[in-house]
Amino acid sequence: MKLKGFLLFLFLLGAVLLNVDASGKGSCPANIESKCDSSSDEWNGEFFPGIPKIKYEDWLRFSVAFWHTFRGTGADPFGAPTKAWPWEDGTNSLAMAKRRMRALFEFINKLGVERWCFHDRDIAPDGKTLAESNANLDEIIELAKELQKGTKILPLWGTAQLFMHPRYMHGAATSSELGVYAYAAAQVKKAMEVTHYLGGENFVFWGGREGYQTLLNTDMKRELDHLARFLEAAVDWKKKIGFNGTLLIEPKPQEPTKHQYDWDAATTLSFLQKYGLSGEFKLNIECNHATLSGHSCHHELETARINGLLGNIDANTGDPQIGWDTDQFLTDIGEATLVMLSVIRNEGLAPGGFNFDAKL
Ligand code: XLS
Ligand code: NI
Ligand code: NI
């Protein structure tokens, strides 16, 4: 039974990878006895009629996550950093940010990977004001643009980091502070512009702290209304600047807040439907987030796929005995097979891909 299933999987994989189109246009049938429409005896037809040139498409579209690969320190919730890259000088200066960006490009070039993902704040240092932060970001983006030149390297997606700065302690689009909401909107605006400028293919919203700890100080309906309005504005901005990438929401059930609004694929789907945002967003399913929500990764992928929402995969895994986002590389072949089944049924993920949101 297992062997049969595996053979069926291989067959499906083969059929889809070969991308066969049966509309061939050969003038002679491939049969020696049948007549060609040409007057000459020379064979002028195709030996394999009906089979066009086979295109090998890039199904996997791997991406390196800047934050884990170049900003990950090797710390855990109880311990100090354990990584000491020889190029790091212990600061987050602009010069250091530039050195890291060069390290990324050498790394992805040597790996032969063509995509990378970033948060605005992990590639460039935060400034004292929004204007200063934006100027820092522009400087790093210019360098990235320069390094992309002459290569096929592009961002698979960019995103705004709306969770690390203390101003976001109560959320960004769901913060009760108007100033924080506005600041977050300005950050998304800028992050989307630079993603567009680098030729990025998607833009992600992970609602870092969009959730709550207790209803005693939370107006849940109002926070959700604010979140929807925030996403609507992002859609408007995307159209205004001519960014054709896909907007992706990345569900996660909890961590850092207790109740995160984008709990899982089904919750996010109903949120989008309720606020009339379906059609404007797809989902970025992260496998470790799936297991934190009590599902398996393949369940989340299928839920997204059958609703036309499967846009990208943050390819990682958790640990069955550790209840947090450990962001490990997926090594379970059984799970990987079921993940690929959804990808094949989805006819690939493009313009999305597989972002290794995983710690080294
Ligand atoms: C955190 C998320 C994050 C997003 C991008 O748990 O996975 O890394 O992918 O903000
Ligand atoms: Ni992620
Ligand atoms: Ni995560």
Side-chain angles (χ1 to χ4, degrees):
M1 223 25 228
K2 264 189 188 155
L3 180 66
K4 252 191 183 169
F6 185 62
L7 289 176
L8 178 67
F9 170 71
L10 283 183
F11 170 76
L12 279 174
L13 184 70
V16 181
L17 285 179
L18 293 177
N19 193 17
V20 169
D21 167 356
S23 72
K25 46 175 164 10
S27 54
C28 277
N31 180 345
I32 198 111
E33 269 140 37
S34 52
K35 291 220 159 46
C36 299
D37 26 303
S38 138
S39 46
S40 124
D41 277 348
E42 284 299 311
W43 181 261
N44 67 351
E46 288 178 77
F47 292 92
F48 304 97
I51 301 178
K53 189 170 163 70
I54 292 161
K55 288 186 284 175
Y56 288 89
E57 300 194 22
D58 181 5
W59 275 66
L60 299 172
R61 297 168 55 82
F62 292 136
S63 152
V64 170
F66 192 91
W67 55 98
H68 285 306
T69 317
F70 287 93
R71 299 308 305 275
T73 63
D76 69 14
F78 296 93
T82 54
K83 268 185 205 138
W85 295 119
W87 57 83
E88 288 285 340
D89 66 6
T91 72
N92 191 21
S93 65
L94 259 177
M96 191 56 244
K98 287 183 186 168
R99 216 174 309 147
R100 268 185 220 119
M101 189 54 82
R102 291 189 189 281
L104 169 85
F105 275 82
E106 181 182 329
F107 181 71
I108 48 184
N109 263 307
K110 287 186 171 170
L111 274 182
V113 168
E114 287 171 353
R115 288 170 188 84
W116 60 296
C117 289
F118 65 96
H119 297 92
D120 49 0
R121 296 296 179 259
D122 53 50
I123 58 171
D126 208 355
K128 281 192 208 76
T129 60
L130 181 67
E132 201 184 292
S133 301
N134 286 352
N136 289 346
L137 186 57
D138 281 336
E139 207 165 321
I140 299 301
I141 291 294
E142 270 325 312
L143 174 65
K145 181 93 175 170
E146 187 62 37
L147 293 167
Q148 283 189 174
K149 211 178 271 168
T151 73
K152 288 186 184 161
I153 298 170
L154 293 175
L156 177 64
W157 48 262
T159 186
Q161 190 203 72
L162 305 177
F163 48 87
M164 204 170 272
H165 192 282
R167 79 170 63 83
Y168 295 127
M169 66 181 290
H170 296 301
T174 63
S175 170
S176 47
E177 285 285 329
L178 178 60
V180 172
Y181 185 95
Y183 200 101
Q187 222 183 296
V188 165
K189 171 180 180 288
K190 179 72 181 174
M192 197 189 287
E193 287 165 6
V194 301
T195 302
H196 181 38
Y197 178 68
L198 289 177
E201 299 174 290
N202 304 270
F203 188 83
V204 163
F205 295 84
W206 171 54
R209 292 178 190 275
E210 315 295 17
Y212 67 92
Q213 308 289 1
T214 166
L215 284 176
L216 295 177
N217 64 4
T218 305
D219 182 340
M220 191 168 158
K221 177 176 185 306
R222 200 160 165 195
E223 292 199 356
L224 284 163
D225 289 350
H226 289 175
L227 177 59
R229 184 67 199 92
F230 189 94
L231 294 173
E232 257 171 47
V235 171
D236 287 348
W237 192 248
K238 167 191 156 155
K239 292 181 179 161
K240 185 144 188 192
I241 64 175
F243 174 52
N244 291 323
T246 309
L247 301 182
L248 298 163
I249 295 180
E250 181 177 330
K252 184 173 178 178
Q254 72 276 128
E255 196 205 82
T257 63
K258 178 171 159 65
H259 301 274
Q260 208 112 327
Y261 292 134
D262 304 323
W263 180 276
D264 63 356
T267 310
T268 310
L269 168 66
S270 88
F271 168 85
L272 292 172
Q273 283 172 344
K274 175 178 174 189
Y275 288 99
L277 288 164
S278 326
E280 303 289 0
F281 290 86
K282 286 193 172 185
L283 301 181
N284 175 26
I285 301 296
E286 176 166 323
C287 291
N288 201 158
H289 297 181
T291 50
L292 290 177
S293 70
H295 300 300
S296 51
C297 189
H298 57 267
H299 169 82
E300 285 293 87
L301 292 170
E302 260 318 83
T303 304
R305 184 188 75 79
I306 63 176
N307 290 293
L309 291 175
L310 179 53
N312 194 83
I313 297 179
D314 266 4
N316 63 13
T317 193
D319 184 291
Q321 286 161 292
I322 299 180
W324 47 283
D325 205 6
T326 53
D327 289 342
Q328 294 159 239
F329 278 89
L330 178 61
T331 52
D332 179 333
I333 293 172
E335 179 70 351
T337 304
L338 290 173
V339 163
M340 284 311 296
L341 203 54
S342 284
V343 173
I344 288 169
R345 286 173 173 157
N346 201 56
E347 297 180 3
L349 294 169
F354 286 86
N355 172 46
F356 288 107
D357 195 352
K359 294 187 165 84
L360 300 189

